[in-house]
Amino acid sequence: MSTATGNPPEQNGEHMPEEDRILQDGNEAVDLAAELEKAHGESAALKDQLLRALAEVENTRRRSQRDREDFARYAASPLAKEILPVADNLARALAAVPAEALANDEALKNLIDGIAATERQLQAALERHNITRIDPLGEKFDSHWHQAMFEVPDSGQPGGTVVQVLQPGYRLHDRLLRPALVGVAKSEPGINREPAKEAES
């Protein structure tokens, strides 16, 4: 006789032997455990994918932020490189006029004063935009900021000291726009040696 479910009694476990019922329940438990383990594995995989995606999004955001900051920080580089020769020419004009000529010619003196004022204004404008001049006379040669054009023998300075600046360099913030062109003291015997330390008693 069938039950209300329409299934044979033995399928509902009503008249199944005890051993068969335990075996069926055990199989169902094994199936549920396997499904649970599979679900845990899928959940872990999805969580890992989510974390990787979030990390990639964050890295992309940081890169974009850094690129925007760098663009704003160094946007003046092309213009600055165009202006630097103007600063050089103003400095050369000032250096080219001998002091005696200025003393004897009022008009020339006024012209040079105007050029000097223009040069100062230009340097001030560059500094306001974090473009700083590199004028390393007397400093230790630094290949990051200086370009050595020649060595100077018998300079009386320790080897590697900048003893002549042919053309000043410039940098924008911490980025080099143009190296300073310099002459460097040649190492001479005895010049670079440190004084001998007195023997300890």
Side-chain angles (χ1 to χ4, degrees):
M1 182 175 178
S2 300
T3 62
T5 61
N7 296 326
E10 53 273 9
Q11 289 186 5
N12 292 324
E14 293 178 2
H15 300 291
M16 292 177 64
E18 186 67 20
E19 294 83 359
D20 292 344
R21 186 179 298 118
I22 292 174
L23 183 59
Q24 182 183 29
D25 291 344
N27 289 337
E28 290 177 355
V30 169
D31 290 343
L32 288 175
E35 289 292 329
L36 182 60
E37 184 176 354
K38 181 180 177 182
H40 280 313
E42 292 175 350
S43 174
L46 290 173
K47 182 178 180 181
D48 182 66
Q49 291 178 9
L50 176 61
L51 292 176
R52 289 176 183 273
L54 290 175
E56 183 61 29
V57 169
E58 179 62 16
N59 289 337
T60 301
R61 185 192 68 79
R62 289 178 179 175
R63 281 195 301 269
S64 298
Q65 178 70 19
R66 186 167 58 250
D67 290 344
R68 286 195 300 271
E69 291 173 355
D70 285 348
F71 178 79
R73 187 175 178 85
Y74 302 111
S77 293
L79 178 60
K81 289 179 180 179
E82 294 290 332
I83 290 176
L84 296 185
V86 177
D88 294 336
N89 289 332
L90 290 173
R92 290 190 190 102
L94 293 173
V97 180
E100 307 81 48
L102 295 177
N104 298 325
D105 190 331
E106 187 66 25
L108 181 60
K109 182 178 182 303
N110 291 335
L111 175 62
I112 292 301
D113 287 344
I115 294 174
T118 302
E119 199 262 350
R120 286 194 300 271
Q121 284 183 326
L122 178 58
Q123 289 295 332
L126 292 174
E127 289 178 5
R128 281 196 299 274
H129 290 83
N130 298 295
I131 301 168
T132 55
R133 182 170 170 157
I134 303 171
D135 195 355
L137 186 64
E139 298 177 6
K140 191 73 175 174
F141 176 78
D142 185 345
S143 60
H144 292 98
W145 306 108
H146 314 148
Q147 181 177 338
M149 305 303 293
F150 52 83
E151 286 188 312
V152 180
D154 302 322
S155 65
Q157 297 292 327
T161 302
V162 175
V163 294
Q164 189 174 347
V165 178
L166 300 166
Q167 178 177 275
Y170 286 88
R171 64 186 175 191
L172 174 59
H173 294 287
D174 56 350
R175 181 176 292 178
L176 182 68
L177 290 175
R178 186 184 75 186
L181 305 182
V182 300
V184 181
K186 186 176 182 179
S187 297
E188 302 289 346
I191 295 294
N192 294 325
R193 286 192 306 218
E194 296 182 359
K197 295 181 180 180
E198 295 182 1
E200 295 181 1
S201 56

